[in-house]
Every structure is written in C-alpha cells, then in structure tokens.
Amino acid sequence: MATRVAFSFLKECGISERIKQRNFVPRNHYCTTGTPPPPQSPRIPHSSKKGRLLTGAAIGLLIGGGAYASTVDEATFCGWLFNATKVVNPFFAFLDAEFAHRLAVSAAARGWVPKEKRPDPSILGVEVWGKRFSNPIGLSAGFDKNAEAVEGLLGLGFGFVEVGSVTPAPQEGNPKPRIFRLREEGAIINRCGFNSEGIVAVAKRLGAQHGKRKMETSSTVSPTEDETKQGGKAGPGILGVNLGKNKTSEDAAADYVQGVHTLSQYADYLVINISSPNTPGLRQLQGRKQLKDLVKKVQAARDEMQWGEEGPPPLLVKIAPDLSRQDLEDIAAVALALRLDGLIISNTTIQRPDPVNKNPIAKESGGLSGKPLFDLSTNILKEMFVLTKGKIPLIGCGGISSGEDAYLKIRAGASLVQLYTAFAYGGPALIPQIKAELAQCLERDGYKSIYEAVGVDAFFLMKIPVQAR
C-alpha cells in the first residue's frame, strides 16, 4: 500500500513521465537508419534521479507508518507526522532547486503535508489591523507564487501565508537556472524575476478557495460570537497577496492598480513589492517622490471599490535591505504622511556578506536570502521602527530559522514575522519548533504577550521608556 501511494505521488507530480521522456528512443530508429541508436546522454544527473526515487519511497514508508501512528491520540499523531517530515526533507537536496520547489508546492496543493491540529500557545496570539493571528509566524511571498496551495500551507500551522508576487500578465521570469542553494550557509540566491501565471489565473484559484473557506467558517462559528474573529475574512488563517509588475511594463502604477482591482477582494492584506532586485528599475520606485505617487494611486484604487463592514484590506509596502539612511528616512516620511498600513522589512539583498562571499556560488547574480541576511535586515527593521516612531505595523522578514530569531525580530520592532529559506531547508517540522521556541523566549523574559515585546530593543535607541508606548 505504501509503495503504491509513493509511486502515485511520483506519477501525479510528473516525475516518472519526465524520466521516461528524457530516455525515450524512437522505435523506428533501426528501420530508418539501419544502425543502433546513439548512446543517450542522461539529461538528468544520476543523483537527481536517485533523489526522486528515494523521496517517493520515503513518502510511502511514512504513509505506511502513519497507519500505525493514527491509532494514538490526535495530538500525538499530529506531532508524529510533523517529525516524520524530517525523514523526507533531506531527499529534496538531491533534486534541482527549482524542481524541488515545484514538488513541494504540488505536495501542499494536494494535501500531502501534515495538518496542524494542536492549538497554538496562547501567548503567541496577536491582533494586527483588527485581525486576530493565532501566531505571528508567516510564510513570505515567493513560495506559493500562484496561490496553488493556500489551504495546505495554512494547515501547516502558519499564522498567515502570503502568495505571489503576482503580475498582471503571465510572464516566464528570467532564464533558468535561476535558483542556487548555499546549503552550508543556510542561504539561497534567486533571480526568478517575478515568474507568474498572472492575476486572472490567481484570481480564479483564490475565488474558489475563498468560497470554500467562507463556508467552513460559517458552519463552525456561532453568529452570536462576540470575540475577535480568528483569522481573516476568507476563513481560518490570514491570507496576504503580494503584487508585482510586469518586466516590460512602463507604467508600474497601472500594474499595481490592476492587481488591486482584481485580487483585493480575496486578500486580508495587500503588498506592493517594489524591492525585488531581479526586475530592472523596480527598486527605483523606493525613492521619496516615486513612492509617494505610487502609493497614492494604489490607495485611491483600493478605496474607490465597494467594501463591507470590514473595510478595504490593509496596504503594505515591501522594501529592500540595501537602502541608505536617507532612503529609509524618505520611506518613513511617506509611510507616515500617507498613513500606510504597514511595511515588510525586508526583501532579499544584492550584498554578499560573510561567509557567503567565500562561496563560488556567490558570484551568481540575484537576491540573497537566508541566515546571512538576518543581521542586515534586522538592523534595517530596527531603524525603520525608530523612524516611524512605532506607529506603523512592521513585518520582519529575512534570515529567520529559529524561535530566537523570530523573537529578535519582534524585539527590533516587528509585530509579525515571515520566513521562507529556512522552511525550504527545514520543511514542515520547522513550524511547530519555531512557535514553541518563541513562546519559551517570551516566557523566559517575563512577557505575557507578543505586544509587550514589540520594539523593546528599538525603544532603547529612541530613548523612550517602554512603558510610555
């Protein structure tokens, strides 16, 4: 049974077909040439084929073991499932980086990932924009670019999931290869360039998921319930949509406005991504005048739409970590003047800090993410918290791989945090681990909630007592 399921997994993800196609020799070759077929150069490295087969076999064994573990109580079984993913995840290292990513998204889309049934520690609950997050740990944009696996990813126990970046028209992005692992450094370099199926395809998926989640929520929530709503308007869990622009577009504002008009009805918050280093000219939109003009147009497009009691979704801007002090001051001034709902700090970096610069792969162009980005992005986060005087919610992103990392982002000024690279390396088991470690950090230092810890390190720089917030 386990073997059958494993090979079914391989078949559905297209692995077996790819192997067959790449080693196929036309049957009539002998008849037309009279000579034996030429030796076929394997286009897939042997280690890659081996990795695919081992991954399928491991999944089959896990499913078989799950049949036994399912006889125990739900919490124990849930814990077993998450721990079991530690067996499968290392096999993804045998695969091409982008193919491994595609495989992971497919698994989440099909529900072939564990589902978190255990409640989050109450100390991790936090309210931002009037929405109740069961925990502050989110998955950043870039993993589920086309909203294929929202339900499966939220089921892993993330407090929120951000899809995208989504461009108005479909585009392939930059040529492959475009994702490079630096495993020893816990980092990744990517130059994908907003590869997207476009807003129409994403809107169809989000529309279907929106209806399903809405039905699930209405069937489980009492109409007389007065407590703050758990999750977003579309059901359990908070969903963000990250908007990008097409590479060939000359009117960036028009691209973002189109995204708002099409996707905002499905989003609990929207993000204007102007900080990817892989789209020419995009980061120039972070300038004071350019940013002000852009945000005004996008806000106007959002506000002119009809909204119910909950109002329009919050609008955030995602910025780069490679900014000067003057750049940060300009962004903070625009954010305060236009009452921006939040900032995500930060995107990937074009810098190559130690120890990455000693790795030959560091010569590849693109944005660096992962552990080497942590200090740079956290320092920018702290500076922005000071510049905005703690008045704007910040999402800390960049290099988080543990509960302690998440805690330091919160102390630097983040109300919420996001990760991606560590999740790519660590798999689903990393999520409950980070949540447990974060809860321990808060309790260790005497905090009773996330809110009490937000910005405590930055307030020291502001020379304002924490009690004066």
Side-chain angles (χ1 to χ4, degrees):
M1 171 63 180
T3 304
R4 270 203 317 273
V5 174
F7 280 104
S8 173
F9 175 82
L10 292 173
K11 184 176 180 181
E12 287 205 38
C13 293
I15 297 177
S16 59
E17 290 301 318
R18 290 185 183 209
I19 294 175
K20 289 178 183 177
Q21 291 171 5
R22 296 187 184 189
N23 292 280
F24 175 73
V25 177
R27 181 173 293 180
N28 63 355
H29 182 88
Y30 288 92
C31 300
T32 57
T33 66
T35 59
Q40 298 295 305
S41 299
R43 295 170 65 183
I44 308 174
H46 178 71
S47 60
S48 180
K49 293 181 182 178
K50 183 179 179 182
R52 295 175 184 183
L53 294 173
L54 286 173
T55 301
I59 290 172
L61 290 173
L62 289 174
I63 294 173
Y68 167 76
S70 62
T71 59
V72 300
D73 66 274
E74 189 176 68
T76 302
F77 178 50
C78 184
W80 181 89
L81 281 177
F82 275 89
N83 286 327
T85 63
K86 295 178 182 179
V87 178
V88 175
N89 211 62
F91 291 110
F92 281 78
F94 290 96
L95 308 176
D96 167 76
E98 189 156 356
F99 182 81
H101 172 230
R102 182 67 246 157
L103 194 62
V105 173
S106 296
R110 291 170 168 81
W112 294 343
V113 292
K115 188 175 180 63
E116 183 60 82
K117 298 288 187 179
R118 299 162 293 183
D120 289 331
S122 58
I123 196 172
L124 297 184
V126 60
E127 184 177 335
V128 185
W129 309 306
K131 306 176 190 299
R132 182 70 177 175
F133 294 71
S134 63
N135 72 77
I137 311 299
L139 179 63
S140 74
F143 185 85
D144 188 7
K145 290 176 177 288
N146 298 303
E148 299 172 76
V150 172
E151 186 176 354
L153 294 172
L154 284 172
L156 287 172
F158 285 107
F160 62 110
V161 167
E162 188 175 309
V163 300
S165 295
V166 187
T167 57
Q171 64 178 28
E172 291 293 328
N174 293 324
K176 300 177 182 178
R178 53 194 181 186
I179 302 178
F180 307 90
R181 298 187 183 105
L182 297 87
R183 184 169 291 275
E184 291 184 1
E185 291 82 6
I188 289 175
I189 292 174
N190 96 82
R191 53 170 180 262
C192 290
F194 285 171
N195 51 314
S196 171
E197 292 181 14
I199 57 175
V200 173
V202 171
K204 288 181 179 178
R205 292 195 184 103
L206 289 181
Q209 294 166 3
H210 176 87
K212 182 179 179 181
R213 295 171 71 209
K214 200 79 170 178
M215 289 178 62
E216 290 176 352
T217 305
S218 61
S219 64
T220 56
V221 178
S222 169
T224 59
E225 187 175 0
D226 294 327
E227 296 181 2
T228 302
K229 188 175 183 179
Q230 296 285 340
K233 64 182 180 183
I238 303 293
L239 176 64
V241 176
N242 187 297
L243 304 175
K245 68 175 287 290
N246 284 113
K247 184 179 294 187
T248 57
S249 173
E250 297 181 358
D251 189 346
D255 278 14
Y256 291 113
V257 165
Q258 189 175 351
V260 167
H261 283 158
T262 308
L263 299 174
S264 59
Q265 60 184 313
Y266 308 119
D268 293 308
Y269 70 89
L270 295 166
V271 181
I272 304 174
N273 187 351
I274 53 172
S275 50
S276 170
N278 303 312
T279 297
L282 187 70
R283 288 191 167 190
Q284 295 176 7
L285 297 173
Q286 296 174 117
R288 186 169 189 146
K289 182 181 185 306
Q290 296 92 325
L291 179 61
K292 186 175 183 179
D293 291 343
L294 176 63
V295 171
K296 276 186 174 181
K297 291 178 181 177
V298 177
Q299 283 179 331
R302 178 199 61 175
D303 295 343
E304 72 184 5
M305 299 174 67
Q306 293 184 347
W307 300 102
E309 294 181 1
E310 295 181 0
L315 183 66
L316 290 71
V317 170
K318 187 169 186 175
I319 67 173
D322 311 307
L323 296 169
S324 67
R325 174 72 180 189
Q326 184 60 56
D327 292 332
L328 295 176
E329 291 177 357
D330 289 344
I331 292 171
V334 171
L336 289 170
L338 298 183
R339 298 184 179 180
L340 199 63
D341 296 302
L343 294 166
I344 300 181
I345 306 167
S346 66
N347 212 316
T348 57
T349 179
I350 57 175
Q351 299 181 44
R352 299 293 185 262
D354 289 334
V356 169
N357 56 8
K358 299 179 177 65
N359 192 316
I361 298 177
K363 296 179 182 178
E364 295 288 349
S365 63
L368 173 73
S369 62
K371 289 183 180 180
L373 177 59
F374 181 81
D375 288 341
L376 176 62
S377 61
T378 304
N379 289 336
I380 296 292
L381 170 67
K382 192 181 299 183
E383 285 192 57
M384 189 56 73
F385 184 85
V386 173
L387 290 170
T388 58
K389 303 174 184 179
K391 295 180 178 181
I392 296 175
L394 306 178
I395 297 181
C397 183
I400 295 174
S401 60
S402 68
E404 185 73 32
D405 291 339
Y407 180 55
L408 290 175
K409 293 280 189 186
I410 291 168
R411 290 181 63 98
S415 298
L416 303 166
V417 299
Q418 290 178 322
L419 62 148
Y420 176 5
T421 301
F423 176 61
Y425 283 129
L430 185 66
I431 308 310
Q433 175 187 322
I434 287 180
K435 290 190 289 188
E437 291 172 354
L438 176 57
Q440 291 171 4
C441 290
L442 291 165
E443 293 168 354
R444 177 195 67 201
D445 291 349
Y447 296 114
K448 296 180 181 179
S449 68
I450 294 288
Y451 175 76
E452 292 181 2
V454 173
V456 293
D457 292 340
F459 273 104
F460 174 76
L461 296 177
M462 296 167 67
K463 298 180 180 180
I464 298 175
V466 175
Q467 293 80 2
R469 284 187 289 178

